[in-house]
Amino acid sequence: MIEDVPGLERCTYLPEHGNDGYRVGHYDLELDYRVGPNRLSASARLSAVATAPLVRFDLDLGPFRVARVLIDGRAGRFRQRRDKLHVTPPRALGAGQRFTVEVRYTGNPRPVTSPWGGLGWEQLTDGSLVAGQPTGAPSWFPCNDRADHKASFRISLTTASAYHVVANGRETGRRRSGATTTWVYEQDEPMAPYLASVQIGRYQTTEIPGRVPQRLVHPGPAAGRVRYDFGRQGEMIAAFEERFGPYPFGAYTVVVADDELEIPVEAQGMSVFGTNHVDGRRGAERLVAHELAHQWFGNSLTLARWRDIWLHEGFATYAEWLWAEASGGESADEHALRWHGRLAGQPQDLVLADPGVERIFDDRVYKRGALTLHALRRTMGEGRFFPMLREWTAAHRHGTVTTEDFTRLAERHAAQTPEPLFAAWLYGRRLPRLP
Ligand SMILES: [Zn+2]
Protein backbone atom coordinates (compact mmCIF):
# COMPACT_ATOMS: atom_id res chain seq x y z
CA MET A 1 0.00 0.00 0.00
CA ILE A 2 1.45 3.34 -0.98
CA GLU A 3 -0.05 6.46 0.43
CA ASP A 4 1.24 9.79 1.59
CA VAL A 5 -0.14 11.87 4.40
CA PRO A 6 -0.39 15.33 2.89
CA GLY A 7 0.69 18.34 4.90
CA LEU A 8 2.13 16.29 7.73
CA GLU A 9 5.40 17.51 9.16
CA ARG A 10 8.24 15.02 9.54
CA CYS A 11 8.73 13.52 13.02
CA THR A 12 11.09 15.83 14.85
CA TYR A 13 11.66 13.44 17.78
CA LEU A 14 13.76 10.95 15.82
CA PRO A 15 15.10 12.96 12.89
CA GLU A 16 17.95 10.50 12.26
CA HIS A 17 15.46 7.66 11.73
CA GLY A 18 13.63 7.24 8.48
CA ASN A 19 14.36 8.75 5.13
CA ASP A 20 12.73 10.97 2.56
CA GLY A 21 12.33 10.60 -1.16
CA TYR A 22 10.67 7.21 -1.40
CA ARG A 23 8.05 4.94 0.16
CA VAL A 24 8.34 1.21 0.62
CA GLY A 25 5.15 -0.69 -0.22
CA HIS A 26 6.40 -4.21 0.53
CA TYR A 27 9.25 -5.86 2.41
CA ASP A 28 10.31 -9.38 1.48
CA LEU A 29 12.79 -10.71 4.04
CA GLU A 30 14.69 -13.99 3.55
CA LEU A 31 16.51 -14.71 6.79
CA ASP A 32 18.83 -17.54 7.63
CA TYR A 33 19.64 -17.62 11.31
CA ARG A 34 21.86 -19.77 13.48
CA VAL A 35 20.82 -19.54 17.11
CA GLY A 36 24.07 -20.62 18.83
CA PRO A 37 26.46 -18.17 17.19
CA ASN A 38 23.63 -15.58 16.72
CA ARG A 39 24.49 -15.41 13.03
CA LEU A 40 22.14 -13.83 10.50
CA SER A 41 22.62 -14.18 6.77
CA ALA A 42 19.87 -12.39 4.91
CA SER A 43 18.45 -10.87 1.80
CA ALA A 44 15.85 -8.10 1.94
CA ARG A 45 13.92 -7.10 -1.14
CA LEU A 46 12.02 -3.82 -0.82
CA SER A 47 9.44 -2.72 -3.41
CA ALA A 48 9.28 1.05 -3.35
CA VAL A 49 8.23 4.13 -5.26
CA ALA A 50 10.28 7.32 -5.54
CA THR A 51 8.34 10.34 -4.27
CA ALA A 52 10.97 12.74 -5.65
CA PRO A 53 13.74 12.49 -8.25
CA LEU A 54 16.50 10.40 -6.61
CA VAL A 55 20.18 10.34 -7.48
CA ARG A 56 20.77 8.45 -4.22
CA PHE A 57 18.73 7.37 -1.25
CA ASP A 58 19.26 6.07 2.27
CA LEU A 59 18.06 3.05 4.22
CA ASP A 60 18.27 2.46 7.97
CA LEU A 61 20.43 -0.58 8.75
CA GLY A 62 22.58 -1.57 11.73
CA PRO A 63 26.23 -2.65 11.61
CA PHE A 64 25.95 -5.61 9.21
CA ARG A 65 28.38 -6.54 6.49
CA VAL A 66 26.59 -5.66 3.25
CA ALA A 67 27.71 -7.84 0.34
CA ARG A 68 25.71 -6.13 -2.37
CA VAL A 69 22.84 -3.88 -3.23
CA LEU A 70 20.77 -4.37 -6.37
CA ILE A 71 18.38 -1.80 -7.74
CA ASP A 72 15.91 -3.35 -10.18
CA GLY A 73 18.34 -6.25 -10.39
CA ARG A 74 21.39 -4.13 -11.26
CA ALA A 75 24.30 -3.48 -8.91
CA GLY A 76 24.30 -0.09 -7.23
CA ARG A 77 27.04 1.64 -5.30
CA PHE A 78 26.66 1.80 -1.53
CA ARG A 79 28.37 3.10 1.56
CA GLN A 80 27.62 2.48 5.25
CA ARG A 81 27.92 5.12 7.86
CA ARG A 82 26.53 4.92 11.40
CA ASP A 83 23.18 3.19 11.02
CA LYS A 84 22.60 4.30 7.43
CA LEU A 85 23.10 2.53 4.15
CA HIS A 86 23.62 5.14 1.42
CA VAL A 87 22.68 3.77 -1.99
CA THR A 88 23.44 5.21 -5.41
CA PRO A 89 21.40 3.44 -8.10
CA PRO A 90 23.08 2.84 -11.48
CA ARG A 91 20.55 5.23 -13.04
CA ALA A 92 18.77 8.10 -11.29
CA LEU A 93 15.13 7.41 -10.36
CA GLY A 94 12.35 9.72 -11.50
CA ALA A 95 9.56 10.92 -9.19
CA GLY A 96 6.77 8.36 -9.21
CA GLN A 97 9.04 5.60 -10.50
CA ARG A 98 8.58 2.16 -8.96
CA PHE A 99 11.74 0.26 -8.12
CA THR A 100 13.03 -2.64 -6.08
CA VAL A 101 16.09 -2.59 -3.91
CA GLU A 102 17.65 -5.82 -2.74
CA VAL A 103 20.22 -5.86 0.06
CA ARG A 104 22.32 -8.94 0.91
CA TYR A 105 23.84 -8.74 4.37
CA THR A 106 25.34 -10.84 7.15
CA GLY A 107 26.32 -10.31 10.75
CA ASN A 108 25.47 -10.79 14.39
CA PRO A 109 22.25 -8.94 15.02
CA ARG A 110 22.26 -6.99 18.27
CA PRO A 111 20.05 -4.38 19.87
CA VAL A 112 20.50 -0.77 18.80
CA THR A 113 21.32 1.62 21.61
CA SER A 114 18.73 4.24 22.45
CA PRO A 115 17.68 6.52 25.31
CA TRP A 116 15.32 3.68 26.29
CA GLY A 117 17.99 0.96 26.37
CA GLY A 118 18.75 -1.71 23.77
CA LEU A 119 16.03 -2.20 21.14
CA GLY A 120 15.32 -4.67 18.39
CA TRP A 121 16.89 -8.09 17.90
CA GLU A 122 17.92 -9.60 21.19
CA GLN A 123 19.54 -12.95 21.89
CA LEU A 124 17.85 -15.01 24.58
CA THR A 125 19.41 -17.83 26.57
CA ASP A 126 18.23 -20.23 23.86
CA GLY A 127 16.61 -18.28 21.05
CA SER A 128 15.90 -14.71 20.01
CA LEU A 129 13.25 -12.09 20.14
CA VAL A 130 12.60 -8.77 18.46
CA ALA A 131 11.15 -5.84 20.41
CA GLY A 132 11.48 -2.97 17.97
CA GLN A 133 9.62 -0.04 19.51
CA PRO A 134 10.52 2.63 18.62
CA THR A 135 13.83 2.42 16.72
CA GLY A 136 14.87 -1.25 16.77
CA ALA A 137 13.88 -2.33 13.23
CA PRO A 138 17.33 -1.61 11.65
CA SER A 139 18.84 -4.12 14.11
CA TRP A 140 17.68 -6.89 11.74
CA PHE A 141 16.61 -5.56 8.35
CA PRO A 142 17.18 -2.56 6.07
CA CYS A 143 14.16 -0.29 6.12
CA ASN A 144 12.74 3.16 5.95
CA ASP A 145 12.30 3.31 9.72
CA ARG A 146 9.35 5.66 9.91
CA ALA A 147 6.22 4.83 11.88
CA ASP A 148 4.12 6.67 9.28
CA HIS A 149 5.39 4.52 6.40
CA LYS A 150 3.49 1.26 6.63
CA ALA A 151 4.01 -1.62 4.22
CA SER A 152 3.03 -5.25 3.76
CA PHE A 153 5.63 -7.88 4.75
CA ARG A 154 6.69 -11.39 3.91
CA ILE A 155 9.12 -12.85 6.43
CA SER A 156 10.85 -16.17 5.74
CA LEU A 157 13.21 -17.52 8.37
CA THR A 158 15.31 -20.67 8.25
CA THR A 159 16.80 -22.09 11.41
CA ALA A 160 17.48 -25.39 13.19
CA SER A 161 14.33 -27.54 13.32
CA ALA A 162 14.43 -27.74 17.13
CA TYR A 163 13.17 -24.15 17.28
CA HIS A 164 9.71 -22.73 16.80
CA VAL A 165 9.53 -19.49 14.81
CA VAL A 166 6.82 -16.84 14.94
CA ALA A 167 6.58 -13.70 12.83
CA ASN A 168 3.81 -11.24 12.05
CA GLY A 169 0.78 -12.26 10.03
CA ARG A 170 -0.38 -15.68 8.91
CA GLU A 171 1.89 -18.68 8.52
CA THR A 172 1.95 -19.52 4.81
CA GLY A 173 4.66 -22.15 4.75
CA ARG A 174 6.75 -24.48 6.85
CA ARG A 175 9.32 -26.64 5.04
CA ARG A 176 11.75 -28.99 6.68
CA SER A 177 14.98 -29.66 4.81
CA GLY A 178 17.65 -31.72 6.52
CA ALA A 179 18.29 -30.29 9.98
CA THR A 180 16.63 -26.94 9.33
CA THR A 181 13.10 -25.66 8.85
CA THR A 182 11.99 -22.63 6.86
CA TRP A 183 9.03 -20.73 8.27
CA VAL A 184 7.14 -18.25 6.12
CA TYR A 185 4.77 -15.59 7.42
CA GLU A 186 2.84 -12.99 5.46
CA GLN A 187 1.47 -9.78 6.90
CA ASP A 188 -1.01 -8.32 4.44
CA GLU A 189 -2.29 -5.44 6.54
CA PRO A 190 0.10 -2.49 6.35
CA MET A 191 2.64 -2.50 9.19
CA ALA A 192 5.09 0.07 10.52
CA PRO A 193 8.67 -1.35 10.40
CA TYR A 194 9.09 -1.05 14.19
CA LEU A 195 6.16 -3.47 14.67
CA ALA A 196 7.78 -6.21 12.59
CA SER A 197 8.99 -9.06 14.76
CA VAL A 198 10.33 -12.59 14.84
CA GLN A 199 10.40 -14.84 17.88
CA ILE A 200 12.60 -17.93 18.01
CA GLY A 201 12.65 -20.46 20.82
CA ARG A 202 12.01 -24.04 21.91
CA TYR A 203 8.32 -23.33 22.13
CA GLN A 204 5.06 -25.22 22.19
CA THR A 205 1.85 -23.74 20.88
CA THR A 206 -1.69 -23.76 22.16
CA GLU A 207 -4.33 -22.86 19.57
CA ILE A 208 -7.56 -21.33 20.76
CA PRO A 209 -10.16 -21.18 17.98
CA GLY A 210 -12.73 -18.42 17.92
CA ARG A 211 -13.91 -15.50 15.85
CA VAL A 212 -10.46 -14.04 16.52
CA PRO A 213 -8.21 -17.11 16.67
CA GLN A 214 -5.65 -16.93 19.45
CA ARG A 215 -2.32 -18.68 19.56
CA LEU A 216 -0.26 -19.03 22.73
CA VAL A 217 3.44 -19.76 22.12
CA HIS A 218 5.42 -20.67 25.21
CA PRO A 219 8.05 -22.88 26.78
CA GLY A 220 6.57 -26.35 27.37
CA PRO A 221 6.90 -26.35 31.19
CA ALA A 222 4.95 -23.06 31.43
CA ALA A 223 1.92 -24.43 29.53
CA GLY A 224 -0.44 -24.65 32.52
CA ARG A 225 0.36 -21.21 33.87
CA VAL A 226 0.18 -19.62 30.40
CA ARG A 227 -3.20 -21.19 29.61
CA TYR A 228 -4.60 -19.99 32.90
CA ASP A 229 -3.11 -16.47 32.84
CA PHE A 230 -4.28 -15.80 29.27
CA GLY A 231 -7.51 -17.73 29.79
CA ARG A 232 -9.73 -14.66 29.79
CA GLN A 233 -8.24 -13.17 26.63
CA GLY A 234 -11.24 -14.29 24.56
CA GLU A 235 -13.59 -12.37 26.88
CA MET A 236 -11.19 -9.47 26.76
CA ILE A 237 -11.29 -9.39 22.95
CA ALA A 238 -15.10 -9.40 23.10
CA ALA A 239 -15.16 -6.59 25.68
CA PHE A 240 -12.76 -4.49 23.62
CA GLU A 241 -14.61 -5.14 20.36
CA GLU A 242 -17.77 -3.85 22.02
CA ARG A 243 -15.97 -0.66 23.11
CA PHE A 244 -13.37 -0.11 20.37
CA GLY A 245 -14.86 -1.85 17.32
CA PRO A 246 -13.74 -4.99 15.45
CA TYR A 247 -10.33 -6.53 16.26
CA PRO A 248 -8.17 -5.20 13.41
CA PHE A 249 -6.15 -8.31 12.41
CA GLY A 250 -6.79 -11.91 11.40
CA ALA A 251 -5.50 -13.50 14.61
CA TYR A 252 -3.70 -12.74 17.84
CA THR A 253 -0.52 -14.44 18.99
CA VAL A 254 0.95 -14.21 22.47
CA VAL A 255 4.56 -15.29 22.87
CA VAL A 256 5.90 -16.01 26.33
CA ALA A 257 9.63 -15.89 25.73
CA ASP A 258 11.80 -18.32 27.67
CA ASP A 259 13.46 -15.54 29.70
CA GLU A 260 12.48 -12.76 32.02
CA LEU A 261 11.64 -9.48 30.31
CA GLU A 262 11.55 -6.07 31.91
CA ILE A 263 8.23 -5.22 30.24
CA PRO A 264 5.96 -6.96 27.72
CA VAL A 265 6.00 -5.44 24.25
CA GLU A 266 3.57 -5.27 21.36
CA ALA A 267 4.18 -6.20 17.74
CA GLN A 268 1.59 -6.32 14.96
CA GLY A 269 -0.88 -9.13 15.63
CA MET A 270 1.37 -10.29 18.47
CA SER A 271 2.50 -9.49 22.00
CA VAL A 272 5.59 -10.73 23.78
CA PHE A 273 5.77 -11.44 27.49
CA GLY A 274 8.51 -12.83 29.74
CA THR A 275 8.19 -15.86 32.00
CA ASN A 276 8.15 -13.38 34.90
CA HIS A 277 4.78 -12.07 33.67
CA VAL A 278 3.18 -15.49 34.04
CA ASP A 279 2.59 -16.55 37.64
CA GLY A 280 -0.37 -18.89 37.15
CA ARG A 281 -2.55 -16.52 39.21
CA ARG A 282 -3.33 -13.85 36.57
CA GLY A 283 -1.06 -11.50 38.48
CA ALA A 284 -0.23 -9.60 35.29
CA GLU A 285 -3.69 -9.54 33.68
CA ARG A 286 -3.53 -5.75 33.58
CA LEU A 287 -0.61 -6.12 31.13
CA VAL A 288 -2.47 -8.78 29.13
CA ALA A 289 -5.23 -6.21 28.56
CA HIS A 290 -2.73 -3.43 27.86
CA GLU A 291 -0.85 -5.34 25.14
CA LEU A 292 -4.05 -6.60 23.52
CA ALA A 293 -5.40 -3.02 23.33
CA HIS A 294 -2.30 -1.97 21.38
CA GLN A 295 -3.63 -3.99 18.44
CA TRP A 296 -6.19 -1.20 18.01
CA PHE A 297 -4.18 1.69 19.44
CA GLY A 298 -0.63 1.58 18.13
CA ASN A 299 -0.73 -1.18 15.56
CA SER A 300 -3.87 -0.51 13.50
CA LEU A 301 -3.90 3.20 14.34
CA THR A 302 -0.24 4.16 14.45
CA LEU A 303 1.13 7.52 15.46
CA ALA A 304 2.48 9.64 12.64
CA ARG A 305 4.91 11.40 15.03
CA TRP A 306 6.37 10.00 18.22
CA ARG A 307 5.23 12.99 20.21
CA ASP A 308 1.68 11.60 19.82
CA ILE A 309 2.66 8.51 21.86
CA TRP A 310 -0.26 9.08 24.25
CA LEU A 311 -2.51 7.87 21.39
CA HIS A 312 -0.89 4.47 22.00
CA GLU A 313 -0.02 4.36 25.68
CA GLY A 314 -2.83 6.48 27.12
CA PHE A 315 -5.40 4.38 25.26
CA ALA A 316 -3.79 1.04 26.20
CA THR A 317 -3.64 2.13 29.85
CA TYR A 318 -7.28 3.17 29.72
CA ALA A 319 -8.06 -0.26 28.28
CA GLU A 320 -6.59 -1.79 31.46
CA TRP A 321 -9.14 0.17 33.49
CA LEU A 322 -11.95 -0.73 31.10
CA TRP A 323 -11.11 -4.40 31.38
CA ALA A 324 -11.02 -4.22 35.18
CA GLU A 325 -14.43 -2.54 35.07
CA ALA A 326 -15.85 -5.06 32.56
CA SER A 327 -14.58 -8.07 34.51
CA GLY A 328 -16.03 -7.08 37.86
CA GLY A 329 -12.92 -5.40 39.29
CA GLU A 330 -12.33 -1.80 40.20
CA SER A 331 -14.29 0.73 38.13
CA ALA A 332 -12.59 3.17 35.77
CA ASP A 333 -13.72 5.92 38.17
CA GLU A 334 -11.84 4.30 41.03
CA HIS A 335 -8.73 3.86 38.88
CA ALA A 336 -8.95 7.46 37.74
CA LEU A 337 -9.24 8.84 41.28
CA ARG A 338 -6.33 6.78 42.52
CA TRP A 339 -4.02 7.71 39.63
CA HIS A 340 -5.07 11.32 39.71
CA GLY A 341 -4.01 11.41 43.35
CA ARG A 342 -0.65 9.84 42.55
CA LEU A 343 0.05 12.13 39.60
CA ALA A 344 -0.84 15.15 41.73
CA GLY A 345 2.15 14.30 43.93
CA GLN A 346 4.58 14.12 40.99
CA PRO A 347 6.35 16.91 39.06
CA GLN A 348 3.92 18.62 36.69
CA ASP A 349 6.37 19.53 33.98
CA LEU A 350 5.18 17.35 31.15
CA VAL A 351 2.97 18.25 28.18
CA LEU A 352 1.03 15.14 27.22
CA ALA A 353 0.78 15.97 23.51
CA ASP A 354 4.50 16.82 23.31
CA PRO A 355 6.36 15.20 26.21
CA GLY A 356 9.84 15.37 24.67
CA VAL A 357 11.61 12.46 23.00
CA GLU A 358 13.33 11.10 26.12
CA ARG A 359 10.02 10.97 27.98
CA ILE A 360 7.78 9.22 25.48
CA PHE A 361 7.72 6.16 27.77
CA ASP A 362 7.41 8.14 31.00
CA ASP A 363 4.70 6.55 33.14
CA ARG A 364 3.00 9.95 33.46
CA VAL A 365 2.30 9.83 29.69
CA TYR A 366 0.49 6.51 30.24
CA LYS A 367 -1.53 7.56 33.26
CA ARG A 368 -2.30 11.13 32.26
CA GLY A 369 -3.27 9.82 28.82
CA ALA A 370 -5.74 7.41 30.41
CA LEU A 371 -7.03 10.17 32.69
CA THR A 372 -7.59 12.42 29.68
CA LEU A 373 -9.79 9.77 28.10
CA HIS A 374 -11.66 9.27 31.34
CA ALA A 375 -12.20 13.03 31.69
CA LEU A 376 -13.51 13.08 28.13
CA ARG A 377 -15.83 10.13 28.84
CA ARG A 378 -17.22 11.84 31.94
CA THR A 379 -17.76 15.06 30.00
CA MET A 380 -19.24 13.53 26.84
CA GLY A 381 -21.21 10.74 28.48
CA GLU A 382 -21.16 7.00 27.66
CA GLY A 383 -23.61 7.44 24.79
CA ARG A 384 -21.21 9.65 22.89
CA PHE A 385 -17.79 8.55 24.11
CA PHE A 386 -17.82 4.91 22.95
CA PRO A 387 -19.39 5.56 19.52
CA MET A 388 -16.64 8.15 19.06
CA LEU A 389 -13.96 5.57 19.94
CA ARG A 390 -15.47 3.12 17.46
CA GLU A 391 -15.47 5.76 14.73
CA TRP A 392 -11.85 6.58 15.62
CA THR A 393 -10.71 2.99 15.01
CA ALA A 394 -12.90 2.58 11.90
CA ALA A 395 -11.94 5.84 10.19
CA HIS A 396 -8.19 5.32 10.66
CA ARG A 397 -8.00 1.51 10.50
CA HIS A 398 -4.48 0.49 9.38
CA GLY A 399 -3.52 4.12 9.00
CA THR A 400 -1.54 6.78 10.82
CA VAL A 401 -2.95 9.31 13.26
CA THR A 402 -2.15 12.54 15.09
CA THR A 403 -3.48 14.15 18.26
CA GLU A 404 -5.25 16.75 16.09
CA ASP A 405 -7.11 13.99 14.21
CA PHE A 406 -8.42 12.78 17.56
CA THR A 407 -9.42 16.16 18.98
CA ARG A 408 -11.23 17.03 15.73
CA LEU A 409 -13.22 13.81 15.93
CA ALA A 410 -14.11 14.38 19.60
CA GLU A 411 -15.19 17.90 18.69
CA ARG A 412 -17.69 16.42 16.20
CA HIS A 413 -19.11 13.91 18.67
CA ALA A 414 -19.38 16.06 21.79
CA ALA A 415 -22.50 18.04 22.66
CA GLN A 416 -20.33 20.80 24.12
CA THR A 417 -16.91 21.64 22.74
CA PRO A 418 -14.18 19.65 24.53
CA GLU A 419 -11.63 22.28 23.52
CA PRO A 420 -10.97 23.60 27.08
CA LEU A 421 -10.61 20.02 28.31
CA PHE A 422 -7.99 19.26 25.65
CA ALA A 423 -6.21 22.59 26.25
CA ALA A 424 -5.74 21.67 29.91
CA TRP A 425 -5.10 17.90 29.67
CA LEU A 426 -3.12 17.69 26.42
CA TYR A 427 -1.35 21.00 26.12
CA GLY A 428 -1.05 22.29 29.70
CA ARG A 429 1.52 21.16 32.27
CA ARG A 430 -0.52 21.45 35.44
CA LEU A 431 -2.70 18.43 36.26
CA PRO A 432 -6.33 19.52 35.75
CA ARG A 433 -9.11 18.49 38.15
CA LEU A 434 -11.13 15.45 37.14
CA PRO A 435 -14.58 16.49 35.86
ZN1 LIG B 1 2.06 0.07 25.96
Side-chain angles (χ1 to χ4, degrees):
M1 188 177 98
I2 311 258
E3 61 160 39
D4 240 310
V5 185
L8 188 71
E9 71 269 40
R10 188 90 152 63
C11 177
T12 51
Y13 273 26
L14 301 168
E16 72 282 13
H17 273 266
N19 307 286
D20 294 318
Y22 67 98
R23 273 195 87 101
V24 179
H26 182 72
Y27 289 85
D28 193 329
L29 309 180
E30 292 275 348
L31 312 169
D32 196 284
Y33 181 67
R34 284 191 293 141
V35 175
N38 183 39
R39 186 79 183 158
L40 181 65
S41 163
S43 166
R45 193 165 182 274
L46 284 52
S47 307
V49 61
T51 54
L54 292 179
V55 178
R56 48 161 257 197
F57 59 89
D58 298 338
L59 294 163
D60 299 293
L61 179 65
F64 289 97
R65 207 176 72 74
V66 174
R68 63 175 177 161
V69 178
L70 302 173
I71 298 96
D72 290 330
R74 297 175 56 197
R77 282 188 292 126
F78 62 91
R79 195 162 58 84
Q80 285 173 276
R81 198 160 162 270
R82 294 207 187 108
D83 285 342
K84 290 285 183 189
L85 176 64
H86 305 288
V87 178
T88 307
R91 255 205 311 259
L93 300 160
Q97 190 177 331
R98 286 177 185 277
F99 64 100
T100 61
V101 51
E102 189 177 334
V103 181
R104 307 257 173 94
Y105 59 104
T106 52
N108 303 101
R110 57 170 181 266
V112 300
T113 54
S114 82
W116 314 280
L119 302 169
W121 190 290
E122 217 175 298
Q123 221 185 337
L124 299 173
T125 309
D126 191 13
S128 292
L129 65 72
V130 172
Q133 187 190 35
T135 54
S139 70
W140 62 292
F141 67 99
C143 58
N144 192 354
D145 192 17
R146 294 176 54 160
D148 63 336
H149 277 200
K150 295 189 178 191
S152 58
F153 278 70
R154 178 182 170 276
I155 300 173
S156 161
L157 191 141
T158 303
T159 198
S161 298
Y163 295 93
H164 190 96
V165 176
V166 182
N168 315 87
R170 58 206 162 84
E171 186 185 328
T172 56
R174 196 190 298 190
R175 267 191 331 275
R176 194 176 174 137
S177 162
T180 64
T181 299
T182 300
W183 305 69
V184 183
Y185 286 87
E186 291 185 55
Q187 174 69 64
D188 304 319
E189 294 93 352
M191 172 164 78
Y194 85 86
L195 290 169
S197 185
V198 295
Q199 307 291 325
I200 304 167
R202 294 180 191 267
Y203 297 139
Q204 282 184 6
T205 59
T206 304
E207 307 273 347
I208 304 166
R211 212 189 60 68
V212 176
Q214 300 170 58
R215 185 183 304 120
L216 307 176
V217 181
H218 49 82
R225 282 180 291 139
V226 170
R227 277 179 211 149
Y228 181 76
D229 282 11
F230 292 87
R232 298 210 286 182
Q233 220 171 222
E235 290 164 63
M236 221 178 253
I237 291 172
F240 287 171
E241 287 199 313
E242 201 182 310
R243 287 158 183 81
F244 309 149
Y247 177 80
F249 303 105
Y252 184 52
T253 299
V254 164
V255 178
V256 176
D258 196 5
D259 261 301
E260 301 204 342
L261 302 184
E262 204 183 319
I263 46 164
V265 68
E266 74 268 23
Q268 190 148 308
M270 189 201 303
S271 295
V272 186
F273 293 78
T275 43
N276 51 314
H277 299 121
V278 181
D279 60 5
R281 295 193 307 273
R282 295 187 180 142
E285 197 173 64
R286 170 180 85 77
L287 300 174
V288 175
H290 181 107
E291 298 310 320
L292 173 63
H294 274 312
Q295 301 305 323
W296 285 264
F297 309 112
N299 304 356
S300 173
L301 279 70
T302 307
L303 46 71
R305 311 163 305 204
W306 286 98
R307 73 163 129 108
D308 294 318
I309 185 75
W310 83 279
L311 295 174
H312 296 187
E313 301 304 346
F315 282 64
T317 303
Y318 197 52
E320 298 173 23
W321 303 356
L322 291 174
W323 169 247
E325 189 168 74
S327 59
E330 245 188 339
S331 72
D333 259 336
E334 288 168 310
H335 275 96
L337 277 173
R338 188 152 43 84
W339 281 106
H340 191 273
R342 287 200 202 167
L343 284 191
Q346 289 180 28
Q348 295 177 29
D349 59 355
L350 181 139
V351 174
L352 185 56
D354 194 5
V357 63
E358 307 227 328
R359 298 201 291 196
I360 56 176
F361 300 116
D362 189 305
D363 195 53
R364 290 172 295 168
V365 170
Y366 290 54
K367 299 305 188 306
R368 185 170 172 145
L371 284 166
T372 302
L373 290 171
H374 193 64
L376 188 61
R377 177 179 168 193
R378 297 261 295 239
T379 311
M380 290 175 80
E382 307 283 298
R384 289 178 188 270
F385 178 78
F386 287 106
M388 175 204 62
L389 276 192
R390 289 191 291 271
E391 190 185 327
W392 176 238
T393 63
H396 300 281
R397 187 176 162 88
H398 304 315
T400 56
V401 287
T402 64
T403 296
E404 294 75 27
D405 292 331
F406 182 71
T407 55
R408 266 196 304 271
L409 179 76
E411 199 64 70
R412 279 216 317 275
H413 280 259
Q416 273 186 342
T417 176
E419 211 268 302
L421 184 150
F422 287 137
W425 285 94
L426 292 175
Y427 301 103
R429 286 175 204 277
R430 231 166 54 85
L431 184 67
R433 291 228 309 266
L434 270 175

